[in-house]
Amino acid sequence: MKFLNELVQGVRQILESPQSLEEVNNFHEFCRLLARLKSNYQLGELVKVEGYPRFIELIAKFTVTSLQMWQFSPNSVHYLLSLWQRMVASVPYMKASEPHLLDTFCPEITKSYITSRLESVPVVLRDGLDDPLDDAGQQLEQVATIGRCQYEKTCQLLIQLFDDCVQRFSNSATERAVLEGQLTWLVYLIGAVIGGRASFANTDEHDLLDGDMICRVVQFMHFMEDKRASSEKLDLAFLNFFEQFRKIYVGEQVHKTSKVYRKLSEVLGLTDEAMVLEIIIRKIITNLKFWASSETIITKTLNLFNDLSVGYSSVRKMIKLDAVQFLLGNHTAEHFPFLGVNALQDLRCRTTFYTALGRLLMVDLGEDEERFERFITPISAQFDLIGNLIFSDSIQNVEETKRALIGLFRDLRGLAFACNSKSSYQMFFDWFYPSYTPILVRALQLWFDDPALTTALLKFMAEFVQNRTQRLQFDVSSPNGILLFRETSKVICTYGERLLQLGNPPKEQLYSRKLKGISICFSILRSALSGNYVNFGVFRLYGDNALDNVLNMFVKLLLSIPLQDLMDYPKLSLSYFGLLECLSQDHVEFVASLEPQVFLFVLSSISQGLTALDTMVSTGCCATLDNIVTYLFRKLTKRKSGENNERIVQLVESHAPVFQQMLSTVFNIITFEECRNQWSMSRPLLGLILLNEQFFSQLRQQLINAQPNEKQRELITISFRNLMDGIEPNLLTKNRDRFTQNLSVFRREINDSMKTNVVNGGL
């Protein structure tokens, strides 16, 4: 407490003589210091310092003044608001009896923030300054928390300001731009304080206040829609408001007796959640129809639509709405221009649209194939048109055709993602195969060098082959699993062959033009191999080379990537090591039969992956290494029993230095480092020890000899003896589990011994 008292006294002195804070850097660092006060100390400690009332009063005055000077140091506001936000959030947990006085000062800070932001609007418009609203996201969350202290005062202020601005906006023809800017701020602020509800204990009175504000925003939105006068920023504010409203008042967690809905019923005639959802959906439809030129509004609108489609109860209410049925029946560019070929530069939002639409379609689709056909008809028509074009020799407008294909693949990816049941996926599969799968291969043959198209196509394929929620469960007599894998093999081989012909692009384009596509191919192959819907023995049995072709293409693509690049790009690393783990588990004979230089490359990549910072990568490498080592050890032990397997012996002997390096790496990580995945690391260690017993003996002796005295050497020797106590020379599960237990004890003993060395050395 003594240090805290001194610190608080120093802050008080600065605040009482603030001349030095007129310099921007001093001001900014001082704001950071204030924020750190609450980070390092609890509110219960702060209220006990000497002169706390004066101290908190000075900080409040400083905060109010700083907020009013919004142009002086805009990046410092976050730190000031962070201090007050954390203090308010601590109030429910404070046990000290001393008054915290936040009820006195927080309303002043909330008012200062709100009024200063409204006052900034005419200045921004007049002088063309950067709009503080553009970077206000986090500040709004902070003010929402601060405003929950004396929430009645916050709501009364917002309602008073909102009513005043709306009245002036309705009657004035001269200040409309300023008033619209101020109303935009107020809609954002109302959305923020409603969204801040989740963090606090609430009362019916708070629900009524929320209801008052919600009614005003909805009425104003209807007014602007009738006038067709809403700006982009104001519509973004409405979307943010509805997103905050959805989080708090739509869904399973909402009490149906909430007084918010009572208020909505009294003022707007919205008697239940379904009627509110209809207003939100109609707003979504309006935006999608009339804001095709604004990618920001389209993206935010579709994110809201997607969030609404996730809730279990809300989606079942939405499907009954006429507006939703309109969406399901009219998802074409004619009704929604953003689906047009040249409407948007970034077509990724179309995936979001069809994911949400697909979820709504699947709610009560069941096995109704006719309804699915009706829904998919617009997409079928586009595919038929493009299919005829790309299989002909004369494509009039290449760029437009490519953009149409990119949009379609984005759409299909979203729809495939939504097909989470066996019946819905089967309908999608029957529609797509074999009618439209040739388009995939043909598109890759024509435009393999266009990453925008290949990425969209390959990502759709990655979704199409993924057995999420066991949706790919074909009937026993169905060949669909094999047919799907054959198409997968064609897509990867077609793309890979042509990509390898291109050579390496410039360094700055290496990922976008080459590595990204390879990464997605690895993900596709992993999903197909691990999906459990293909019996891979069938391919070799009947002379089908689809499996061999795609595995050989994997090797070619892998060898085209330098090992350093494989480790430097996180997404590529995850997809590669995930695929390698799958291959080592179910196709380990293929891995072991690789050419020596390829096998060495794979082992080297595993060796580097073991020390990766990403735990998922290192854990996957452990599993892969365990699978390979287990396979090799079992083959060697069978050889000792009479099986002739000279190739395996040669493989192990020729790569002995790499296996020894990995043994040393794994042993050192487990023993001396803070190992976050100790169990995973321990699994391949026993196999490595059994394959390299002589090297492990040398490693053990080196560690023993490194000890400073005889007593320590004896302790380490005993620890090593206990490590292998009861361990048999096999890799049976029971033996592995015992080794893992011994290893945990060994690690603890070694660390204790090292600590003893440090202490004795210090003494």
Side-chain angles (χ1 to χ4, degrees):
M1 283 297 292
K2 183 178 179 182
F3 177 78
L4 179 58
N5 274 315
E6 293 293 332
L7 188 60
V8 167
Q9 290 305 315
V11 169
R12 275 187 58 179
Q13 290 174 12
I14 294 172
L15 289 172
E16 287 168 345
S17 303
Q19 293 84 359
S20 60
L21 298 179
E22 293 175 2
E23 206 279 321
V24 173
N25 289 332
N26 290 349
F27 178 86
H28 183 71
E29 293 304 324
F30 183 68
C31 292
R32 292 183 64 190
L33 170 65
L34 292 179
R36 297 299 298 174
L37 272 178
K38 182 59 189 71
S39 300
N40 295 340
Y41 296 98
Q42 300 298 324
L43 182 60
E45 295 174 299
L46 289 172
V47 298
K48 293 179 181 178
V49 299
E50 296 175 14
Y52 172 78
R54 176 61 178 163
F55 168 69
I56 199 70
E57 180 187 358
L58 287 170
I59 293 181
K61 287 181 179 178
F62 174 73
T63 304
V64 168
T65 304
S66 302
L67 291 173
Q68 290 168 347
M69 298 161 48
W70 57 272
Q71 295 182 67
F72 177 65
S73 182
N75 293 332
S76 307
V77 171
H78 158 76
Y79 296 105
L80 287 174
L81 295 178
S82 173
L83 167 68
W84 290 97
Q85 178 196 24
R86 288 173 175 169
M87 286 199 292
V88 172
S90 307
V91 169
Y93 311 103
M94 196 183 85
K95 296 179 180 178
S97 57
E98 291 82 357
H100 52 68
L101 303 177
L102 296 181
D103 291 342
T104 303
F105 298 113
C106 281
E108 296 179 16
I109 290 158
T110 305
K111 181 179 180 180
S112 178
Y113 183 86
I114 294 171
T115 54
S116 65
R117 268 50 199 167
L118 298 186
E119 290 165 2
S120 73
V121 173
V123 180
V124 168
L125 290 172
R126 184 189 68 220
D127 300 339
L129 303 175
D130 291 338
D131 191 347
L133 183 59
D134 294 339
D135 301 313
Q138 193 171 13
Q139 292 177 17
L140 290 171
E141 292 178 14
Q142 293 168 327
V143 171
T145 303
I146 299 167
R148 281 276 162 180
C149 192
Q150 294 289 309
Y151 190 56
E152 295 81 2
K153 292 183 179 179
T154 302
C155 293
Q156 288 167 6
L157 175 64
L158 286 170
I159 289 171
Q160 176 192 337
L161 291 170
F162 192 85
D163 288 346
D164 178 59
C165 284
V166 169
Q167 184 177 1
R168 289 162 58 203
F169 184 83
S170 304
N171 300 327
S172 172
T174 56
E175 297 182 345
R176 292 183 77 88
V178 172
L179 290 168
E180 186 172 322
Q182 292 176 335
L183 284 163
T184 302
W185 265 107
L186 289 168
V187 173
Y188 269 112
L189 285 160
I190 289 172
V193 297
I194 289 171
R197 178 184 194 273
S199 307
F200 288 84
N202 299 283
T203 63
D204 288 342
E205 288 73 18
H206 286 186
D207 283 353
L208 283 172
L209 291 167
D210 284 355
D212 276 335
M213 293 189 292
I214 291 165
C215 289
R216 283 167 164 79
V217 173
V218 172
Q219 287 173 325
F220 179 58
M221 183 189 74
H222 288 327
F223 172 79
M224 295 301 288
E225 286 179 344
D226 292 341
K227 298 284 186 182
R228 296 279 181 91
S230 188
S231 67
E232 183 175 1
K233 283 193 174 183
L234 183 55
D235 259 1
L236 287 171
F238 287 136
L239 287 170
N240 177 75
F241 165 78
F242 280 127
E243 178 60 30
Q244 300 300 328
F245 176 83
R246 179 200 64 80
K247 289 178 184 176
I248 306 303
Y249 291 113
V250 175
E252 287 73 26
Q253 75 279 12
V254 179
H255 298 294
K256 301 310 172 198
T257 57
S258 169
K259 289 196 174 183
V260 163
Y261 282 95
R262 199 179 307 173
K263 196 73 177 178
L264 292 174
S265 176
E266 292 172 4
V267 178
L268 301 176
L270 305 175
T271 55
D272 58 17
E273 188 178 302
M275 296 181 75
V276 176
L277 284 170
E278 180 145 24
I279 285 183
I280 299 175
I281 294 296
R282 289 192 180 282
K283 178 60 179 173
I284 288 170
I285 291 174
T286 301
N287 285 358
L288 296 181
K289 279 189 171 186
F290 299 111
W291 280 109
S293 59
S294 172
E295 294 197 18
T296 307
I297 286 187
I298 293 293
T299 302
K300 297 276 188 184
T301 301
L302 291 175
N303 287 338
L304 174 61
F305 185 37
N306 187 54
D307 291 340
L308 286 170
S309 73
V310 174
Y312 180 83
S313 65
S314 59
V315 78
R316 279 155 181 77
K317 293 172 183 172
M318 287 166 61
I319 197 64
K320 298 174 184 177
L321 302 176
D322 292 340
V324 170
Q325 292 301 320
F326 174 81
L327 276 168
L328 290 172
N330 299 279
H331 48 98
T332 62
E334 180 184 354
H335 291 89
F336 300 105
F338 82 96
L339 294 172
V341 174
N342 297 311
L344 300 174
Q345 289 298 315
D346 186 357
L347 301 177
R348 286 178 293 184
C349 62
R350 288 175 58 161
T351 301
T352 308
F353 179 60
Y354 273 94
T355 299
L357 267 191
R359 289 196 188 109
L360 291 167
L361 176 68
M362 304 306 163
V363 170
D364 56 359
L365 180 66
E367 298 177 358
D368 190 345
E369 294 183 11
E370 290 185 10
R371 188 174 165 206
F372 181 82
E373 287 293 335
R374 286 197 303 273
F375 174 81
I376 208 76
T377 296
I379 298 177
S380 299
Q382 292 182 68
F383 258 116
D384 290 336
L385 180 63
I386 290 178
N388 292 332
L389 273 176
I390 67 173
F391 282 105
S392 68
D393 294 329
S394 56
I395 302 175
Q396 297 296 328
N397 193 329
V398 173
E399 290 305 315
E400 191 169 305
T401 304
K402 285 199 289 186
R403 281 189 64 79
L405 266 178
I406 292 169
L408 281 171
F409 289 134
R410 297 283 187 193
D411 300 345
L412 289 185
R413 182 185 172 199
L415 188 55
F417 182 86
C419 294
N420 275 333
S421 66
K422 176 184 174 182
S423 59
S424 61
Y425 184 87
Q426 184 68 58
M427 282 187 271
F428 184 85
F429 181 87
D430 290 341
W431 167 76
F432 191 69
Y433 179 89
S435 302
Y436 301 118
T437 45
I439 293 176
L440 300 175
V441 176
R442 181 60 176 162
L444 289 172
Q445 289 171 343
L446 291 173
W447 300 304
F448 60 91
D449 57 344
D450 185 340
L453 185 140
T454 56
T455 297
L457 187 155
L458 293 172
K459 283 192 172 182
F460 158 65
M461 198 66 192
E463 181 57 46
F464 189 41
V465 302
Q466 190 166 17
N467 192 11
R468 183 185 297 107
T469 65
Q470 298 301 304
R471 61 184 182 172
L472 273 75
Q473 289 186 343
F474 300 114
D475 295 335
V476 175
S477 58
S478 170
N480 286 347
I482 294 168
L483 295 172
L484 177 57
F485 187 81
R486 288 173 67 182
E487 294 302 322
T488 304
S489 176
K490 283 182 194 175
V491 166
I492 293 175
C493 291
T494 302
Y495 176 70
E497 285 167 5
R498 284 157 178 77
L499 184 70
L500 293 174
Q501 292 171 8
L502 283 176
N504 283 328
K507 182 69 176 175
E508 62 274 9
Q509 299 178 358
L510 179 63
Y511 183 75
S512 62
R513 299 191 69 85
K514 179 181 178 182
L515 299 183
K516 186 174 185 179
I518 294 176
S519 175
I520 302 170
C521 285
F522 288 171
S523 297
I524 294 171
L525 186 53
R526 179 194 180 188
S527 295
L529 291 174
S530 61
N532 293 323
Y533 51 85
V534 186
N535 183 341
F536 292 103
V538 169
F539 291 100
R540 290 193 180 94
L541 184 63
Y542 291 101
D544 190 327
N545 56 6
L547 177 62
D548 290 337
N549 287 345
V550 77
L551 291 180
N552 290 331
M553 180 51 64
F554 156 69
V555 172
K556 291 177 184 177
L557 291 172
L558 177 62
L559 293 179
S560 74
I561 309 171
L563 184 57
Q564 192 58 47
D565 287 344
L566 204 59
M567 303 305 302
D568 285 347
Y569 294 91
K571 288 184 178 179
L572 178 61
S573 294
L574 281 172
S575 62
Y576 164 65
F577 286 115
L579 172 56
L580 196 59
E581 181 181 353
C582 176
L583 287 170
S584 70
Q585 183 174 336
D586 299 321
H587 302 271
V588 67
E589 289 190 5
F590 165 75
V591 177
S593 66
L594 292 170
E595 292 293 324
Q597 72 273 17
V598 181
F599 190 67
L600 178 62
F601 184 91
V602 170
L603 290 181
S604 300
S605 68
I606 294 171
S607 181
Q608 288 210 23
L610 290 170
T611 58
L613 295 175
D614 189 330
T615 307
M616 288 183 66
V617 170
S618 60
T619 301
C621 287
C622 291
T624 304
L625 181 59
D626 185 29
N627 292 331
I628 293 173
V629 167
T630 301
Y631 171 80
L632 295 175
F633 180 78
R634 286 177 177 166
K635 284 290 184 182
L636 287 173
T637 52
K638 283 183 181 179
R639 172 182 172 275
K640 291 175 182 176
S641 302
E643 182 179 314
N644 184 18
N645 203 342
E646 293 300 326
R647 192 183 63 79
I648 297 297
V649 177
Q650 187 177 358
L651 188 68
V652 173
E653 289 178 351
S654 61
H655 296 93
V658 183
F659 284 116
Q660 291 169 4
Q661 174 62 43
M662 287 192 283
L663 168 56
S664 178
T665 299
V666 173
F667 181 77
N668 288 331
I669 289 173
I670 293 175
T671 308
F672 302 115
E673 296 183 16
E674 187 178 341
C675 186
R676 291 168 293 177
N677 49 348
Q678 183 180 329
W679 186 89
S680 298
M681 282 282 182
S682 71
R683 303 314 276 183
L685 185 57
L686 178 58
L688 287 168
I689 290 172
L690 294 177
L691 280 179
N692 303 274
E693 293 185 64
Q694 185 177 353
F695 178 77
F696 182 67
S697 297
Q698 296 172 3
L699 198 65
R700 176 181 59 198
Q701 199 58 47
Q702 287 175 7
L703 184 58
I704 292 170
N705 293 340
Q707 302 310 304
N709 56 58
E710 187 61 35
K711 183 179 179 182
Q712 290 297 120
R713 287 193 285 272
E714 186 177 342
L715 288 173
I716 299 297
T717 303
I718 294 171
S719 295
F720 270 106
R721 192 182 305 132
N722 292 338
L723 174 63
M724 303 306 292
D725 182 38
I727 304 301
E728 300 174 5
N730 63 60
L731 293 176
L732 300 178
T733 303
K734 184 177 180 181
N735 198 44
R736 287 169 176 271
D737 292 342
R738 184 180 181 93
F739 178 77
T740 300
Q741 293 171 1
N742 289 356
L743 187 62
S744 296
V745 176
F746 173 81
R747 182 175 187 271
R748 187 168 61 250
E749 290 175 350
I750 292 293
N751 283 327
D752 290 345
S753 174
M754 296 297 169
K755 289 175 185 175
T756 303
N757 278 347
V758 171
V759 171
N760 290 339
L763 292 173

